[in-house]
Amino acid sequence: MKNSILINNKLGKFNKIIKVSGDKSISIRWVLFSSLANGISKARNLLLSEDVFAAIDAIKKLGIKSKVFKNSCKIYGKGINGYKYKKNITIDAKNSGTLGRLILGLLINTSYPIKLIGDRSLSKRDFKRIAGPLSKFGAKLKLNKNKNLPLIIKGSENLKPFTYMEKRGSAQCKSSVILGGLRTNGTTIIKAKKSRNHTELLCKYLKLPITIKKTNKIDEIKIQKVKEIKPLNYNIPSDISSCAFFMVLTALSNNSKLTIKDVNINPSRTGIITILKKMGVNIIFKNKKFYKGEILADINIVSPKSLRSINCPSKLNSAAIDEFLVIFLVAAKAKGISYFRGLEELNQKESPRLKWGKYILNEMGIKTVTTKNSIKIYGNPDLNLNKKITIKNFLKDHRVFMTSVIAALSFGGQWNIHDKDSIKTSFPNFLKIINNIKN
Ligand code: S3P
């Protein structure tokens, strides 16, 4: 198959310095905030992936121009009320839940109905979770089968604030309501279970009228109507979710070392680091610096002599939510039984990832016991594969593809992994960096 990759060899030891692409969450948010700014915003190291291009295309449909040159981008914002709503606009969020959900928050004042569509994977995902809250502002949303895309949103001229309890730990839902709050008179209140906080940090950096009160379990966010957003020049840091694959590759190899430069180590994203450290991997941050509310560092990882199993505290789930598939590979090699629980959100991603995690591990001969929100993984420190494994029909989930590549390079066997193009959504350089580490 043209679009598949065959891997027949384990990776030898390595000692490398790499840099991965820009953060996807921040890249999409930068596009959306810049589209509302008064004037020209510039980004460097913007992630040039399909999800981010979908965001650029989406704002273009709303009359906002942009220019992409190498990995820099300019967006010509026309102010908070600069979107040109007209008849028959269709926005295609493609594979991106972040774009699909966040942009709806900005469309709650559209004077004409706007249709939101997505690819096969996004069309299976839950949009009721965001249609419910946004309709409380007064927007009208009509969903396919009451739950999915395509959906049609029609805004209101008379938006009303409300209090939203975000109980899933979903940054997409939280952010969508924050963006809706920017358009709404009065104070919108969000009581959110902890999740990545890039939207709040951008609002703060832009000096928008937001306050955040943190308690142990929830953040209480208050946001008021915004009059003006200043242009936002941003040097996008590297994405820890993309680094995760190489961190795990190092954790599973022998006598290897890796440095990953300029990574965003925002604590709401570093669950994987806490988990890998608990499992015995040596990771240190170097050259820490602050950047527009975020924290950046170089990450040094050394492959461990042995790996311990983990009883993973569910309070780490949100900060590692995109990394669990690849973390499960570490559990496969750890001594003992690892246990991950409270992971119902994993089956809500680009593919049902708890199921895919189980499938990949079982193909590797690793015993698992799963429920609808948990998995027990019976690790085997001597795991060494010598069989054929085919991974296909995974709804082109980029993280299933990349996790399978890491498994193949770490455990051996003959792997045929389909849908190589899936990496274009989040990490088009992934295989190039793998080749750089190999040679
Ligand atoms: C994201 C939030 C997470 C994450 C996704 C990106 C974001 O989704 O899985 O890849 O940029 O806000 P949920 O908010 O749905 O958990």
Side-chain angles (χ1 to χ4, degrees), residues 398-419:
H398 51 135
R399 297 199 209 281
V400 171
F401 178 88
M402 292 187 278
T403 297
S404 305
V405 169
I406 300 303
L409 293 170
S410 305
F411 297 116
Q414 296 95 50
W415 292 66
N416 178 357
I417 311 163
H418 288 210
D419 292 319

PDB file of all heavy atoms in Angstrom, residues 398-419:
ATOM      1  N   HIS A 398      -3.769  10.310  13.697  1.00  0.00           N
ATOM      2  CA  HIS A 398      -2.317  10.553  13.673  1.00  0.00           C
ATOM      3  C   HIS A 398      -1.591   9.918  14.845  1.00  0.00           C
ATOM      4  O   HIS A 398      -0.496   9.400  14.701  1.00  0.00           O
ATOM      5  CB  HIS A 398      -2.043  12.069  13.621  1.00  0.00           C
ATOM      6  CG  HIS A 398      -2.773  12.887  14.659  1.00  0.00           C
ATOM      7  ND1 HIS A 398      -2.179  13.867  15.388  1.00  0.00           N
ATOM      8  CD2 HIS A 398      -4.061  12.859  15.113  1.00  0.00           C
ATOM      9  CE1 HIS A 398      -3.051  14.417  16.216  1.00  0.00           C
ATOM     10  NE2 HIS A 398      -4.200  13.818  16.062  1.00  0.00           N
ATOM     11  N   ARG A 399      -2.218   9.954  16.026  1.00  0.00           N
ATOM     12  CA  ARG A 399      -1.490   9.441  17.193  1.00  0.00           C
ATOM     13  C   ARG A 399      -1.469   7.908  17.226  1.00  0.00           C
ATOM     14  O   ARG A 399      -0.558   7.312  17.800  1.00  0.00           O
ATOM     15  CB  ARG A 399      -2.065  10.023  18.484  1.00  0.00           C
ATOM     16  CG  ARG A 399      -1.893  11.551  18.547  1.00  0.00           C
ATOM     17  CD  ARG A 399      -2.017  12.109  19.931  1.00  0.00           C
ATOM     18  NE  ARG A 399      -2.515  13.476  19.899  1.00  0.00           N
ATOM     19  CZ  ARG A 399      -1.775  14.550  19.616  1.00  0.00           C
ATOM     20  NH1 ARG A 399      -0.501  14.427  19.350  1.00  0.00           N
ATOM     21  NH2 ARG A 399      -2.321  15.757  19.612  1.00  0.00           N
ATOM     22  N   VAL A 400      -2.428   7.262  16.612  1.00  0.00           N
ATOM     23  CA  VAL A 400      -2.358   5.791  16.485  1.00  0.00           C
ATOM     24  C   VAL A 400      -1.205   5.447  15.550  1.00  0.00           C
ATOM     25  O   VAL A 400      -0.398   4.545  15.823  1.00  0.00           O
ATOM     26  CB  VAL A 400      -3.690   5.202  15.954  1.00  0.00           C
ATOM     27  CG1 VAL A 400      -3.525   3.709  15.616  1.00  0.00           C
ATOM     28  CG2 VAL A 400      -4.811   5.398  16.968  1.00  0.00           C
ATOM     29  N   PHE A 401      -1.093   6.182  14.448  1.00  0.00           N
ATOM     30  CA  PHE A 401      -0.005   5.931  13.496  1.00  0.00           C
ATOM     31  C   PHE A 401       1.352   6.108  14.191  1.00  0.00           C
ATOM     32  O   PHE A 401       2.213   5.222  14.160  1.00  0.00           O
ATOM     33  CB  PHE A 401      -0.122   6.864  12.287  1.00  0.00           C
ATOM     34  CG  PHE A 401       1.006   6.674  11.311  1.00  0.00           C
ATOM     35  CD1 PHE A 401       0.918   5.730  10.299  1.00  0.00           C
ATOM     36  CD2 PHE A 401       2.184   7.408  11.430  1.00  0.00           C
ATOM     37  CE1 PHE A 401       1.988   5.521   9.420  1.00  0.00           C
ATOM     38  CE2 PHE A 401       3.258   7.203  10.564  1.00  0.00           C
ATOM     39  CZ  PHE A 401       3.151   6.265   9.554  1.00  0.00           C
ATOM     40  N   MET A 402       1.549   7.260  14.826  1.00  0.00           N
ATOM     41  CA  MET A 402       2.875   7.564  15.394  1.00  0.00           C
ATOM     42  C   MET A 402       3.217   6.618  16.549  1.00  0.00           C
ATOM     43  O   MET A 402       4.366   6.186  16.687  1.00  0.00           O
ATOM     44  CB  MET A 402       2.934   9.034  15.822  1.00  0.00           C
ATOM     45  CG  MET A 402       2.889   9.977  14.608  1.00  0.00           C
ATOM     46  SD  MET A 402       3.165  11.717  14.999  1.00  0.00           S
ATOM     47  CE  MET A 402       1.556  12.240  15.546  1.00  0.00           C
ATOM     48  N   THR A 403       2.218   6.271  17.357  1.00  0.00           N
ATOM     49  CA  THR A 403       2.459   5.307  18.447  1.00  0.00           C
ATOM     50  C   THR A 403       2.904   3.963  17.874  1.00  0.00           C
ATOM     51  O   THR A 403       3.824   3.321  18.398  1.00  0.00           O
ATOM     52  CB  THR A 403       1.164   5.141  19.283  1.00  0.00           C
ATOM     53  OG1 THR A 403       0.862   6.399  19.879  1.00  0.00           O
ATOM     54  CG2 THR A 403       1.323   4.095  20.376  1.00  0.00           C
ATOM     55  N   SER A 404       2.290   3.541  16.769  1.00  0.00           N
ATOM     56  CA  SER A 404       2.644   2.251  16.167  1.00  0.00           C
ATOM     57  C   SER A 404       4.080   2.283  15.646  1.00  0.00           C
ATOM     58  O   SER A 404       4.814   1.299  15.758  1.00  0.00           O
ATOM     59  CB  SER A 404       1.681   1.911  15.026  1.00  0.00           C
ATOM     60  OG  SER A 404       0.354   1.946  15.498  1.00  0.00           O
ATOM     61  N   VAL A 405       4.480   3.422  15.086  1.00  0.00           N
ATOM     62  CA  VAL A 405       5.862   3.547  14.596  1.00  0.00           C
ATOM     63  C   VAL A 405       6.842   3.411  15.774  1.00  0.00           C
ATOM     64  O   VAL A 405       7.851   2.696  15.682  1.00  0.00           O
ATOM     65  CB  VAL A 405       6.072   4.902  13.864  1.00  0.00           C
ATOM     66  CG1 VAL A 405       7.552   5.168  13.592  1.00  0.00           C
ATOM     67  CG2 VAL A 405       5.263   4.929  12.567  1.00  0.00           C
ATOM     68  N   ILE A 406       6.530   4.064  16.876  1.00  0.00           N
ATOM     69  CA  ILE A 406       7.423   3.983  18.053  1.00  0.00           C
ATOM     70  C   ILE A 406       7.470   2.543  18.575  1.00  0.00           C
ATOM     71  O   ILE A 406       8.536   2.026  18.933  1.00  0.00           O
ATOM     72  CB  ILE A 406       6.950   4.959  19.174  1.00  0.00           C
ATOM     73  CG1 ILE A 406       6.965   6.408  18.671  1.00  0.00           C
ATOM     74  CG2 ILE A 406       7.808   4.810  20.439  1.00  0.00           C
ATOM     75  CD1 ILE A 406       8.297   6.919  18.154  1.00  0.00           C
ATOM     76  N   ALA A 407       6.320   1.870  18.572  1.00  0.00           N
ATOM     77  CA  ALA A 407       6.292   0.461  19.026  1.00  0.00           C
ATOM     78  C   ALA A 407       7.171  -0.389  18.126  1.00  0.00           C
ATOM     79  O   ALA A 407       7.976  -1.200  18.599  1.00  0.00           O
ATOM     80  CB  ALA A 407       4.850  -0.050  19.028  1.00  0.00           C
ATOM     81  N   ALA A 408       7.049  -0.191  16.814  1.00  0.00           N
ATOM     82  CA  ALA A 408       7.825  -0.990  15.857  1.00  0.00           C
ATOM     83  C   ALA A 408       9.322  -0.767  16.054  1.00  0.00           C
ATOM     84  O   ALA A 408      10.108  -1.714  16.065  1.00  0.00           O
ATOM     85  CB  ALA A 408       7.413  -0.614  14.440  1.00  0.00           C
ATOM     86  N   LEU A 409       9.721   0.488  16.259  1.00  0.00           N
ATOM     87  CA  LEU A 409      11.150   0.795  16.393  1.00  0.00           C
ATOM     88  C   LEU A 409      11.704   0.340  17.744  1.00  0.00           C
ATOM     89  O   LEU A 409      12.892   0.130  17.898  1.00  0.00           O
ATOM     90  CB  LEU A 409      11.375   2.307  16.249  1.00  0.00           C
ATOM     91  CG  LEU A 409      11.095   2.883  14.860  1.00  0.00           C
ATOM     92  CD1 LEU A 409      11.121   4.411  14.913  1.00  0.00           C
ATOM     93  CD2 LEU A 409      12.123   2.376  13.845  1.00  0.00           C
ATOM     94  N   SER A 410      10.809   0.169  18.719  1.00  0.00           N
ATOM     95  CA  SER A 410      11.262  -0.167  20.072  1.00  0.00           C
ATOM     96  C   SER A 410      11.237  -1.663  20.362  1.00  0.00           C
ATOM     97  O   SER A 410      12.059  -2.166  21.112  1.00  0.00           O
ATOM     98  CB  SER A 410      10.379   0.534  21.117  1.00  0.00           C
ATOM     99  OG  SER A 410      10.361   1.912  20.883  1.00  0.00           O
ATOM    100  N   PHE A 411      10.242  -2.353  19.785  1.00  0.00           N
ATOM    101  CA  PHE A 411      10.048  -3.755  20.191  1.00  0.00           C
ATOM    102  C   PHE A 411      10.366  -4.763  19.090  1.00  0.00           C
ATOM    103  O   PHE A 411      10.293  -5.958  19.309  1.00  0.00           O
ATOM    104  CB  PHE A 411       8.605  -3.970  20.676  1.00  0.00           C
ATOM    105  CG  PHE A 411       8.264  -3.156  21.903  1.00  0.00           C
ATOM    106  CD1 PHE A 411       7.285  -2.170  21.862  1.00  0.00           C
ATOM    107  CD2 PHE A 411       8.936  -3.379  23.099  1.00  0.00           C
ATOM    108  CE1 PHE A 411       6.979  -1.419  22.998  1.00  0.00           C
ATOM    109  CE2 PHE A 411       8.633  -2.631  24.230  1.00  0.00           C
ATOM    110  CZ  PHE A 411       7.661  -1.654  24.183  1.00  0.00           C
ATOM    111  N   GLY A 412      10.661  -4.298  17.869  1.00  0.00           N
ATOM    112  CA  GLY A 412      10.969  -5.230  16.778  1.00  0.00           C
ATOM    113  C   GLY A 412       9.702  -5.794  16.150  1.00  0.00           C
ATOM    114  O   GLY A 412       8.599  -5.292  16.379  1.00  0.00           O
ATOM    115  N   GLY A 413       9.870  -6.868  15.355  1.00  0.00           N
ATOM    116  CA  GLY A 413       8.749  -7.434  14.603  1.00  0.00           C
ATOM    117  C   GLY A 413       8.679  -6.810  13.224  1.00  0.00           C
ATOM    118  O   GLY A 413       9.509  -5.954  12.861  1.00  0.00           O
ATOM    119  N   GLN A 414       7.700  -7.246  12.445  1.00  0.00           N
ATOM    120  CA  GLN A 414       7.527  -6.688  11.099  1.00  0.00           C
ATOM    121  C   GLN A 414       6.186  -5.964  11.064  1.00  0.00           C
ATOM    122  O   GLN A 414       5.142  -6.604  11.071  1.00  0.00           O
ATOM    123  CB  GLN A 414       7.544  -7.794  10.027  1.00  0.00           C
ATOM    124  CG  GLN A 414       8.866  -8.535   9.910  1.00  0.00           C
ATOM    125  CD  GLN A 414       8.860  -9.806  10.745  1.00  0.00           C
ATOM    126  OE1 GLN A 414       7.933 -10.589  10.651  1.00  0.00           O
ATOM    127  NE2 GLN A 414       9.885  -9.994  11.562  1.00  0.00           N
ATOM    128  N   TRP A 415       6.255  -4.680  11.023  1.00  0.00           N
ATOM    129  CA  TRP A 415       5.037  -3.862  11.130  1.00  0.00           C
ATOM    130  C   TRP A 415       4.664  -3.267   9.778  1.00  0.00           C
ATOM    131  O   TRP A 415       5.525  -2.763   9.057  1.00  0.00           O
ATOM    132  CB  TRP A 415       5.238  -2.709  12.116  1.00  0.00           C
ATOM    133  CG  TRP A 415       5.389  -3.128  13.554  1.00  0.00           C
ATOM    134  CD1 TRP A 415       6.418  -3.848  14.090  1.00  0.00           C
ATOM    135  CD2 TRP A 415       4.487  -2.827  14.635  1.00  0.00           C
ATOM    136  NE1 TRP A 415       6.216  -4.005  15.446  1.00  0.00           N
ATOM    137  CE2 TRP A 415       5.046  -3.388  15.807  1.00  0.00           C
ATOM    138  CE3 TRP A 415       3.275  -2.124  14.737  1.00  0.00           C
ATOM    139  CZ2 TRP A 415       4.431  -3.277  17.061  1.00  0.00           C
ATOM    140  CZ3 TRP A 415       2.677  -2.011  15.978  1.00  0.00           C
ATOM    141  CH2 TRP A 415       3.238  -2.590  17.117  1.00  0.00           C
ATOM    142  N   ASN A 416       3.385  -3.335   9.489  1.00  0.00           N
ATOM    143  CA  ASN A 416       2.829  -2.651   8.322  1.00  0.00           C
ATOM    144  C   ASN A 416       1.780  -1.674   8.871  1.00  0.00           C
ATOM    145  O   ASN A 416       0.724  -2.088   9.341  1.00  0.00           O
ATOM    146  CB  ASN A 416       2.201  -3.698   7.393  1.00  0.00           C
ATOM    147  CG  ASN A 416       1.552  -3.061   6.183  1.00  0.00           C
ATOM    148  OD1 ASN A 416       1.513  -1.837   6.061  1.00  0.00           O
ATOM    149  ND2 ASN A 416       1.032  -3.887   5.294  1.00  0.00           N
ATOM    150  N   ILE A 417       2.123  -0.392   8.827  1.00  0.00           N
ATOM    151  CA  ILE A 417       1.234   0.608   9.453  1.00  0.00           C
ATOM    152  C   ILE A 417       0.633   1.470   8.351  1.00  0.00           C
ATOM    153  O   ILE A 417       1.359   2.105   7.582  1.00  0.00           O
ATOM    154  CB  ILE A 417       2.027   1.473  10.473  1.00  0.00           C
ATOM    155  CG1 ILE A 417       2.845   0.563  11.414  1.00  0.00           C
ATOM    156  CG2 ILE A 417       1.082   2.362  11.263  1.00  0.00           C
ATOM    157  CD1 ILE A 417       3.954   1.286  12.162  1.00  0.00           C
ATOM    158  N   HIS A 418      -0.663   1.451   8.274  1.00  0.00           N
ATOM    159  CA  HIS A 418      -1.366   2.163   7.191  1.00  0.00           C
ATOM    160  C   HIS A 418      -1.506   3.660   7.496  1.00  0.00           C
ATOM    161  O   HIS A 418      -1.240   4.112   8.589  1.00  0.00           O
ATOM    162  CB  HIS A 418      -2.767   1.560   7.009  1.00  0.00           C
ATOM    163  CG  HIS A 418      -2.753   0.203   6.373  1.00  0.00           C
ATOM    164  ND1 HIS A 418      -3.769  -0.274   5.596  1.00  0.00           N
ATOM    165  CD2 HIS A 418      -1.815  -0.788   6.377  1.00  0.00           C
ATOM    166  CE1 HIS A 418      -3.481  -1.490   5.162  1.00  0.00           C
ATOM    167  NE2 HIS A 418      -2.303  -1.832   5.640  1.00  0.00           N
ATOM    168  N   ASP A 419      -1.996   4.378   6.493  1.00  0.00           N
ATOM    169  CA  ASP A 419      -2.388   5.793   6.637  1.00  0.00           C
ATOM    170  C   ASP A 419      -1.289   6.714   7.185  1.00  0.00           C
ATOM    171  O   ASP A 419      -1.500   7.470   8.143  1.00  0.00           O
ATOM    172  CB  ASP A 419      -3.656   5.910   7.503  1.00  0.00           C
ATOM    173  CG  ASP A 419      -4.853   5.333   6.775  1.00  0.00           C
ATOM    174  OD1 ASP A 419      -4.977   5.563   5.571  1.00  0.00           O
ATOM    175  OD2 ASP A 419      -5.644   4.609   7.422  1.00  0.00           O
TER     176      ASP A 419
END
